[in-house]
Amino acid sequence: MRFAVIQFPGSNCDMDTVRAIREVTGAEADLVWHARKDLSDYGAIFLPGGFSYGDYLRPGAIARFAEAMDGVRRAAEDGRLVIGICNGFQILLEAGLLPGAMRHNDHLQFRCEIVPVRVERADTPFTSGYEPGQVIRLPIAHGEGNYYADDGTLEALERRGQVVFRYAGENPNGSRNAVAGIVNEAGNVLGMMPHPERAVHRWLGSEDGRALFVSMWRAGRERQLV
Amino acid sequence: MYNEPTAEQIEREALYRQVGMTEEEYRRAVELLGRRPNWLELGLFSVMWSEHCSYKSSRRVLKRFPTEGPQVLQGPGENAGVVDIGDGWAVAFKMESHNHPSAIEPYQGAATGVGGIIRDVFTMGARPVALLDSLRFGPPDDDRQRYLMREVVAGIAGYGNAVGIPTVGGEVKFAERYRNNPLVNAMCVGLMRHEDLARGTARGVGNPVLVVGARTGRDGIHGATFASAEDPLEKERSAVQVGDPFMEKLLLEACLELIATGAVVGIQDLGAAGLTSSGAEMASRAGSGLEIDTALVPRRETGMTPYEVMLSESQERMLVVMERGKESVAGEIFRKWGLEAAVIGRVTDDGMLRVLDGGKVVAEVPVKALVDEAPVYERPAREPEELAVFRSWRWEETPLPERLDEALLALLGSPDLADKEWVWRQYDHMVLASTAVRPGADAAVIWLRGTRKGVAVCTDGPGRYVRLNPLLGGMHAVAEAVRNLVCVGARPLAITDCLNFGNPEKPEVFYQFEQAVEGMSRACEVLGTPVVSGNVSFYNESKGVDVDPTPIVGAVGVVEDMERVCTPAWGPGMIVGLFGPAAPAPEDQGRWLGGSEYLLRVHHLLAGDAPPLDLELERKVQEACLEAIRRGLVAAAHDVSEGGLAVALAEMAIAGGTGAEADLGAVAAGVRPDVLWLGEAGSRIVVALRPEHVEAVRRLAEEAGAPFAVIGRTGGDRLVLRAGAVQADLPVERLRTVWKEAIPWALSENSRVSSSI
Amino acid sequence: MYTARVYVTLKASVLDPQGRAVERALHALGYGEVRGVRVGKVIDVTVEAPDAGAARRRVEEMGRRLLANPVMETFEIESVKPASGAAVEG
């Protein structure tokens, strides 16, 4: 399976993500410029972290109109894997591929640290390499990760088990229900604020992110994604 | 056309004063030019001859710095220094001040400081991989200081986080003398292959000159002059520039892509004094001339005069000289990134900086006159009278506390020594997924992904020591920064610096400056770390009060094997060892007490001399410790600096979540316990060793001629300090709480409790 | 040319961390009478349009598509006025 990492102007975790995919899975990973429409060659698409378009107006608000988002939408529709990390999560929300929105952190500061995160679902194509309920350590780094959805949406997310990652320690941003990552109903689109691509080697303080890349790679093979 | 004073008016009405020139300087300009300068030409002279651009007060003194070594690929004089780290890799780095802009508009001042230093590094062809910030404020006991600190930190975060360069270190200190003059020094470190080294020269007659990146507006005109003037708060505020980190990120990617094509002849950031200084410097380095038509410069505002275009300090712009015929290469790359690249002139061979306005010559000044012929001042220097007062202090009169528990807690909770997580967790310190040692240790370590190597970086600047003894303080500044590199297991390579001083026209301030540079130079020579780049910031004074003389040192080293990186976090069951002097001779006790954090926080006294430092001993201690780490004999290491041994041990206990018991009884004879545990001296490193490694370390220290003593063992959940009798006995959890909560409390809106000094 | 002033605010049901911080600060400054603060954005959009009504319709569409996020924000076009002088570029 080939991986694509979309590069928007202002993305800054794009290379980190490409490197993590290559190092952990050995699979091919391409940096794909945001102006490319056709992403049909890719079985898995990453929307990386960063400050696309400077995060001006709202994080992700402008990136969602990029041409590559057509390809992302198509991939989401035909069951290929789409994952947004940090700014990528914000883009998926703005694009309506996942429900909800992001507010400023409740303390109004940018927050960067390694935090405990509970894997609520280990039966998704992104998390099969973890144990259900396993608490892992992942870096976060964001100013707007305070997840919001109205009561009805939130209740539905919980009922359908769409909350995949939840902050297990102190809630670092005020996120409702301590949501750190959610999937769509079909289970093939994941958005998460923590950065698995920064936790792939013990020299980096955690290697708990590796299992996510391994899970995706395995799912891609099992589902025979391109 | 433009409503500007004529050359006659300038002379008759002494209008050169308005742009910060003295009569003598004006006369010199007339003489060099062979006629009276017009208003634009006067503008060029005034910014190029400002302290900020010309280093007219400091140039003579700075020659003292050692700048060479086999590792140096590029020394001072370029946008950043570059050193070799082996295997074809090199590191480019520089530090710069943004004190004055930050005093006026702390968020934007700090943000644009970060932006400028990033450009200085990627200009060299290096990809920026780390930022550090050295900050100084007044004590956080008034709303303005808290405001300044919050905004400066937010500005650094807002800019660095968005550009995607991890901010991995630096320090924050507080002292009375920074109350009206905060210091904001930013350092950037970049990584490159040797062959990608680019330089800021304008070579090759006829080669096109391009301005790329943001458009030019009226921001920051005369910022360079203004940076060198007293009391910025009272000056007009129009010089504040606003940063756009998104633009910077695009510029960074586009420039690195452009440099990689090999079609770039020279490239330079448009910083202070904008097109004027970058153009003149690039031409000066190549011995060429430059012709710029201001009408071709893309503008953000209408109706700008050539004067305003030449002096604008709009951010996120670069000046590029391309090979002739390769203009389209730049055009294509910049278009892809949504940026503008405009040809605005060409390289000439007549040695002139010629400014045109729609083809008509409006200024013509020899580059040499602007750069090489800038005035150089030999400022008088005189020892400040306060030094004699400091030295006359009688240390014996300092009361001795019964136990040291309270003193230790007071030190851990003092703003200078307390945990700065509140600051650095606002910085994205992990982007680029290479940060192996995160903020909070002696130095940060950036892993060179795909290799076993790492780059260690840190900053240090003991303003108090320098105030008490500028020469010795300067030595400490370098020795401590370099020692911090050793503590994480890095071989020190070179330093950059930012020399923050008061008004150099005061002989006392100039004395501090001269002596500090001398001290720094001596330490650099002995420790083998040349100065490869740097910056001087004078006139950090207001209402007649100068800041503490504060040379900040940014040090860079290489970790050969990432497996051997050390931090202060120790574990249980280890032996605690100390490299360097364990205790002073009884007659030297005053030296360890003078200038200490303990004397200041507990006895509220700034007095004495800077702590002792023997550079030869320092070198031996560093060599022995580094060798022990490289052989894998050391489990944890930490520099002993402010707060002395007790604070160093407490920090290691907190970092490792493990207590320890230490006993200095063997060396305590005739020395007061507070001096033993809280006194300060150079050349000391605490290490934690597995018991089976103690002998090997002892032998190694002996061979290197470095003192080494076993002083305790780790374990349990308390820190117990003995010198015969128990001097302090505290739960690690208590130490941690006091240390962790001090800064958030000091900055909280509810805090109205004034801290001492 | 017309300039439309668009106000974007968080929906009343959405907690506004910035508003809350400003409210706390105002209380700390002694403005005990403050009962609520909401922080929003003002966006001035200058458009070519035959008349004010047409300008308003276009800007409304922009508001729905980009200027506000309907999940948590609402927007309101406060005014549409003939643009004075040249458009201001950022």
Side-chain angles (χ1 to χ4, degrees):
Chain A
M1 182 176 68
R2 286 171 77 91
F3 290 80
V5 177
I6 310 295
Q7 186 180 34
F8 298 97
S11 293
N12 64 29
C13 305
D14 43 350
M15 279 314 299
D16 306 354
T17 307
V18 167
R19 199 160 44 187
I21 297 166
R22 287 180 186 157
E23 284 179 12
V24 175
T25 69
E28 280 184 75
D30 296 339
L31 201 57
V32 176
W33 189 241
H34 64 96
R36 175 166 161 187
K37 255 194 174 115
D38 180 10
L39 301 175
S40 52
D41 303 350
Y42 299 102
I45 301 167
F46 277 77
L47 303 183
F51 288 71
S52 57
Y53 301 92
D55 270 5
Y56 296 142
L57 193 62
R58 291 182 310 279
I62 301 177
R64 71 171 262 222
F65 292 106
E67 287 175 274
M69 289 305 289
D70 288 351
V72 170
R73 209 173 284 278
R74 209 151 298 145
E77 281 161 9
D78 52 49
R80 285 176 285 144
L81 304 181
V82 173
I83 169 171
I85 299 168
C86 200
N87 192 227
F89 187 9
Q90 293 163 337
I91 296 170
L92 290 174
L93 293 172
E94 283 284 342
L97 287 168
L98 289 172
M102 280 302 171
R103 295 168 298 183
H104 282 284
N105 294 349
D106 57 355
H107 45 75
L108 297 178
Q109 289 179 350
F110 192 94
R111 179 63 57 86
C112 177
E113 59 188 335
I114 294 180
V115 298
V117 174
R118 191 165 53 247
V119 182
E120 300 282 16
R121 293 281 304 271
D123 55 353
T124 77
F126 306 95
T127 53
S128 62
Y130 297 102
E131 295 299 319
Q134 185 183 347
V135 174
I136 58 178
R137 293 172 64 251
L138 291 179
I140 56 164
H142 57 252
E144 279 154 285
N146 180 353
Y147 180 76
Y148 171 82
D150 60 38
D151 294 344
T153 308
L154 200 60
E155 192 268 325
L157 280 175
E158 294 287 3
R159 185 160 32 83
R160 299 193 198 109
Q162 286 175 253
V163 177
V164 175
F165 295 110
R166 207 187 299 272
Y167 299 113
E170 189 196 345
N171 185 334
N173 50 33
S175 177
R176 290 200 80 180
N177 290 17
V179 165
I182 54 173
V183 278
N184 62 348
E185 280 191 65
N188 68 322
V189 178
L190 171 74
M192 62 191 297
M193 288 314 289
H195 288 273
E197 82 282 7
R198 296 185 185 182
V200 292
H201 197 283
R202 66 199 156 82
W203 289 345
L204 299 175
S206 169
E207 42 188 346
D208 292 351
R210 296 179 70 94
L212 180 132
F213 297 96
V214 173
S215 305
M216 287 179 70
W217 183 73
R218 219 189 283 148
R221 266 205 327 194
E222 282 163 9
R223 298 175 182 205
Q224 299 188 319
L225 300 176
V226 276
Chain B
M1 36 184 276
Y2 302 111
N3 187 21
E4 286 170 351
T6 63
E8 293 74 34
Q9 265 178 308
I10 293 168
E11 182 176 38
R12 197 175 56 241
E13 299 168 27
L15 297 179
Y16 44 81
R17 295 215 178 106
Q18 283 182 11
V19 292
M21 284 174 84
T22 64
E23 188 181 340
E24 191 184 310
E25 287 170 348
Y26 174 75
R27 295 278 158 236
R28 188 183 172 92
V30 172
E31 191 186 315
L32 286 167
L33 204 54
R35 60 183 164 82
R36 287 177 300 203
N38 65 29
W39 184 244
L40 171 55
E41 289 164 339
L42 184 77
L44 304 183
F45 276 110
S46 77
V47 292
M48 289 307 293
W49 288 8
S50 68
E51 188 67 56
H52 194 90
C53 291
S54 73
Y55 290 81
K56 58 190 169 192
S57 298
S58 59
R59 214 165 352 152
R60 276 173 198 277
V61 177
L62 296 177
K63 288 204 179 107
R64 172 67 183 89
F65 278 143
T67 58
E68 286 169 5
Q71 71 275 42
V72 178
L73 300 178
Q74 176 64 59
E78 262 292 345
N79 291 291
V82 183
V83 295
D84 180 19
I85 58 168
D87 304 333
W89 289 99
V91 172
F93 60 100
K94 191 185 182 190
M95 181 158 34
E96 210 162 62
S97 63
H98 233 218
N99 306 337
H100 302 281
S102 304
I104 293 166
E105 213 307 299
Y107 184 99
Q108 291 298 344
T112 52
V114 172
I117 199 66
I118 293 171
R119 290 193 294 281
D120 277 335
V121 165
F122 73 71
T123 286
M124 302 301 296
R127 175 167 286 277
V129 295
L131 290 165
L132 300 93
D133 300 279
S134 185
L135 311 178
R136 298 291 182 275
F137 302 100
D141 59 6
D142 76 59
D143 284 337
R144 171 133 188 102
Q145 300 309 313
R146 287 194 279 263
Y147 162 78
L148 283 174
M149 181 165 165
R150 278 194 214 107
E151 290 294 303
V152 164
V153 169
I156 291 167
Y159 205 99
N161 296 356
V163 181
I165 302 166
T167 300
V168 297
E171 1 88 61
V172 190
K173 301 261 171 77
F174 307 85
E176 201 50 54
R177 292 277 179 100
Y178 304 116
R179 207 178 273 280
N180 292 315
N181 281 95
L183 303 183
V184 176
N185 292 182
M187 173 174 171
C188 183
V189 183
L191 205 56
M192 68 168 113
R193 301 293 302 169
H194 286 194
E195 60 269 23
D196 292 332
L197 182 55
R199 290 193 168 92
T201 61
R203 280 207 180 82
V205 177
N207 277 335
V209 178
L210 290 82
V211 63
V212 301
R215 295 180 158 210
T216 299
R218 288 195 174 86
D219 19 5
I221 290 170
H222 272 297
T225 321
F226 157 90
S228 313
E230 198 196 331
D231 279 345
L233 288 168
E234 288 163 24
K235 295 261 169 186
E236 56 163 331
R237 297 180 175 217
S238 70
V240 173
Q241 313 108 0
V242 173
D244 179 354
F246 175 52
M247 176 66 84
E248 178 99 342
K249 169 68 175 167
L250 303 181
L251 191 59
L252 157 68
E253 297 299 338
C255 286
L256 289 180
E257 204 172 316
L258 185 63
I259 291 169
T261 65
V264 172
V265 174
I267 177 166
Q268 170 142 347
D269 169 36
L270 289 176
L275 277 171
T276 304
S277 99
S278 300
E281 283 172 19
M282 287 182 81
S284 167
R285 288 194 196 107
S288 62
L290 215 60
E291 203 170 85
I292 292 173
D293 192 332
T294 55
L296 301 174
V297 176
R299 325 272 177 92
R300 208 177 61 216
E301 299 177 64
T302 50
M304 288 180 72
T305 64
Y307 183 99
E308 289 169 327
V309 173
M310 286 304 290
L311 268 65
S312 162
E313 294 188 359
S314 289
Q315 299 288 298
E316 291 94 21
R317 301 178 303 157
M318 308 283 276
L319 197 60
V320 183
V321 176
M322 299 285 296
E323 277 173 25
R324 208 179 334 176
K326 298 279 178 65
E327 296 90 331
S328 62
V329 176
E332 233 164 82
I333 291 173
F334 277 79
R335 239 188 329 276
K336 172 189 158 192
W337 288 99
L339 297 172
E340 281 185 277
V343 176
I344 60 161
R346 58 188 189 91
V347 178
T348 66
D349 60 358
D350 62 5
M352 302 296 268
L353 177 61
R354 189 174 299 109
V355 183
L356 293 82
D357 179 21
K360 179 173 165 284
V361 175
V362 288
E364 203 165 20
V365 181
V367 171
K368 261 188 184 336
L370 294 173
V371 181
D372 307 309
E373 304 289 341
V376 176
Y377 292 123
E378 194 148 2
R379 305 269 188 208
R382 185 171 60 232
E383 185 183 294
E385 283 172 17
E386 65 175 14
L387 296 198
V389 180
F390 289 143
R391 283 195 299 257
S392 69
W393 166 68
R394 291 178 48 80
W395 71 271
E396 302 84 346
E397 289 165 11
T398 310
L400 176 63
E402 211 166 291
R403 288 246 308 206
L404 301 179
D405 308 59
E406 286 307 314
L408 177 55
L409 291 172
L411 290 178
L412 286 174
S414 80
D416 277 7
L417 302 189
D419 182 27
K420 302 299 187 305
E421 188 189 21
W422 183 92
V423 173
W424 51 257
R425 76 179 179 186
Q426 296 185 56
Y427 302 150
D428 187 341
H429 51 268
M430 292 187 272
V431 63
L432 300 184
S434 303
T435 310
V437 176
R438 301 191 292 139
D442 292 73
V445 177
I446 305 295
W447 173 28
L448 198 51
R449 294 274 297 258
T451 75
R452 293 185 72 81
K453 272 181 197 282
V455 175
V457 289
C458 67
T459 68
D460 229 303
R464 191 167 65 240
Y465 292 179
V466 184
R467 178 149 166 220
L468 293 171
N469 184 333
L471 180 73
L472 191 49
M475 285 163 47
H476 273 290
V478 172
E480 189 177 337
V482 172
R483 196 185 313 131
N484 284 334
L485 297 178
V486 166
C487 288
V488 296
R491 178 164 53 84
L493 290 172
I495 68 160
T496 180
D497 63 62
C498 202
L499 308 173
N500 307 275
F501 287 79
N503 182 346
E505 294 160 38
K506 294 182 191 165
E508 292 79 9
V509 170
F510 204 71
Y511 174 89
Q512 293 173 327
F513 175 72
E514 226 174 36
Q515 292 285 303
V517 168
E518 175 63 28
M520 290 170 70
S521 301
R522 288 186 197 172
C524 285
E525 281 162 358
V526 176
L527 301 175
T529 50
V531 179
V532 296
S533 58
N535 158 249
V536 179
S537 171
F538 279 134
Y539 298 98
N540 292 290
E541 65 163 353
S542 33
K543 303 183 183 85
V545 178
D546 299 286
V547 292
D548 281 351
T550 313
I552 304 287
V553 173
V556 173
V558 63
V559 174
E560 298 292 352
D561 182 358
M562 288 294 296
E563 209 52 66
R564 296 280 188 250
V565 161
C566 254
T567 73
W570 64 28
M574 294 176 178
I575 301 298
V576 181
L578 175 68
F579 283 108
E587 64 275 16
D588 283 340
Q589 291 186 70
R591 295 289 309 281
W592 284 45
L593 208 50
S596 68
E597 191 79 14
Y598 162 68
L599 192 64
L600 186 71
R601 300 290 160 191
V602 176
H603 300 288
H604 309 294
L605 204 58
L606 177 67
D609 198 346
L613 174 65
D614 173 340
L615 289 173
E616 272 307 317
L617 177 67
E618 179 74 41
R619 186 178 57 79
K620 289 173 187 163
V621 163
Q622 291 192 12
E623 279 174 7
C625 182
L626 181 58
E627 192 51 34
I629 293 174
R630 289 166 73 169
R631 289 195 199 166
L633 302 173
V634 179
H638 189 29
D639 167 39
V640 180
S641 59
E642 290 152 301
L645 195 52
V647 166
L649 293 170
E651 287 169 346
M652 294 179 84
I654 293 167
T658 303
E661 191 161 331
D663 193 344
L664 287 179
V667 293
V671 180
R672 288 168 41 150
D674 56 350
V675 173
L676 269 184
W677 290 110
L678 304 170
E680 296 172 19
S683 323
R684 304 209 292 165
I685 298 172
V686 179
V687 289
L689 316 169
R690 293 186 198 297
E692 64 269 27
H693 291 147
V694 174
E695 273 321 301
V697 172
R698 205 191 290 277
R699 257 197 322 275
L700 208 152
E702 206 167 296
E703 282 160 24
F708 177 79
V710 166
I711 59 167
R713 57 176 56 241
T714 66
D717 55 7
R718 302 181 74 84
L719 181 66
V720 182
L721 307 179
R722 297 173 185 278
V726 172
Q727 298 297 333
D729 179 357
L730 289 157
V732 175
E733 198 42 46
R734 177 90 197 281
L735 300 170
R736 175 200 294 281
T737 307
V738 168
W739 179 75
K740 269 201 123 31
E741 288 180 358
I743 292 291
W745 167 251
L747 289 168
S748 69
E749 277 147 36
N750 307 321
S751 147
R752 289 290 183 275
V753 185
S754 112
S755 62
S756 59
I757 302 229
Chain C
M1 281 218 291
Y2 293 87
T3 296
R5 172 154 287 196
V6 185
Y7 282 107
V8 179
T9 49
L10 284 173
K11 286 178 181 169
S13 57
V14 177
L15 175 74
D16 172 11
Q18 289 187 79
R20 209 178 44 178
V22 174
E23 182 176 346
R24 273 203 311 262
L26 288 171
H27 286 162
L29 287 172
Y31 298 101
E33 71 269 33
V34 172
R35 289 292 169 267
V37 176
R38 306 286 288 175
V39 173
K41 284 178 234 176
V42 176
I43 303 172
D44 284 334
V45 185
T46 302
V47 290
E48 291 276 12
D51 55 63
R56 179 179 285 273
R57 280 192 296 281
R58 293 292 284 176
V59 173
E60 240 168 41
E61 189 184 318
M62 295 174 203
R64 277 197 305 277
R65 292 190 64 198
L66 176 66
L67 304 182
N69 178 342
V71 175
M72 58 176 180
E73 292 173 328
T74 55
F75 72 97
E76 191 187 332
I77 300 176
E78 190 229 21
S79 62
V80 181
K81 289 179 184 155
S84 54
V88 184
E89 175 235 357

